[in-house]
Amino acid sequence: MGSALIIVDVQNDFCEGGSLAVAGGAGVAAGISRLLSTRPDRWDHVVATKDYHVDPGPHFGNPPDFVDSWPVHCVVGTPGSEFHPELDTTRIEAIFHKGEHAAAYSGFEGHTDGGECLADWLRRHDVDRVELVGIATDHCVRATALDAAREGFDTTVLLELTAAVAAPTTDVALRAMEGAGVTLAGAPVINPA
């Protein structure tokens, strides 16, 4: 069996200057690229997820409540939906788009352009162990890690390569992931505000 790195939502809108920026997002993008460069044989496969909104309904709020609704972000066809330029995408074998017409936090809700879901792709490539990095620790990384564990994958989150929105929601997320049997390595970048 094999291993995969899942890069969660390292997109322009979630990094500094984006419409829903998380402090440290650009640094996370650069850090993932460094790890891919220095440890090229660490994983058998590398995949990524993208928030990919067309019309996600009440997921976009006016005004947003920052709990269930958010500012407009990662709209298909906009620069904000693209991967951050500091992220080296050359190793990414498949991209899983999520949230076209509804809120979707977990990469396991996404699919490739061909319609294959993440769990099926990983199993088809004989993956049994996954490591997660990306944005945001307390939202999409959390949801993707919980679903990975629920799907039976040996799941680790490399927290030093994640950026979080806020300390209170990150504390809740870390407890939830630990409770689900997810291995947590390091500490996330957390917005001090």
Side-chain angles (χ1 to χ4, degrees):
M1 299 298 278
S3 63
L5 176 67
I6 303 174
I7 302 170
V8 178
D9 297 2
V10 181
Q11 295 166 263
N12 288 325
D13 271 347
F14 295 137
C15 296
E16 292 81 351
S19 65
L20 191 51
V22 178
V28 163
I32 294 167
S33 295
R34 278 192 301 276
L35 183 59
L36 286 167
S37 172
T38 59
R39 301 282 306 277
D41 299 325
R42 180 168 174 157
W43 308 279
D44 299 305
H45 303 282
V46 178
V47 299
T49 69
K50 270 189 174 184
D51 245 22
Y52 209 65
H53 298 311
V54 175
D55 180 9
H59 185 59
F60 289 167
N62 187 19
D65 64 16
F66 295 93
V67 176
D68 297 309
S69 65
W70 307 90
V72 174
H73 61 277
C74 298
V75 173
V76 174
T78 66
S81 72
E82 298 303 319
F83 289 122
H84 190 275
E86 290 292 323
L87 178 66
D88 179 0
T89 60
T90 56
R91 292 265 326 265
I92 295 174
E93 297 172 57
I95 300 169
F96 297 87
H97 299 113
K98 57 189 176 66
E100 287 97 327
H101 300 285
Y105 295 91
S106 170
F108 286 85
E109 297 175 79
H111 56 82
T112 63
D113 286 339
E116 187 171 25
C117 71
L118 178 54
D120 288 348
W121 192 98
L122 293 170
R123 289 189 181 105
R124 184 166 60 82
H125 289 84
D126 295 322
V127 170
D128 63 346
R129 292 171 285 112
V130 296
E131 292 187 323
L132 280 73
V133 295
I135 306 169
T137 318
D138 37 349
H139 295 284
C140 294
V141 172
R142 170 191 176 272
T144 304
L146 291 175
D147 278 353
R150 192 174 301 118
E151 289 282 349
F153 297 100
D154 181 346
T155 305
T156 299
V157 177
L158 305 178
L159 290 171
E160 67 276 8
L161 293 175
T162 69
V165 174
T169 48
T170 301
D171 289 342
V172 171
L174 296 179
R175 287 196 301 272
M177 289 188 285
E178 280 185 319
V182 174
T183 301
L184 303 176
V189 176
I190 301 177
N191 187 347

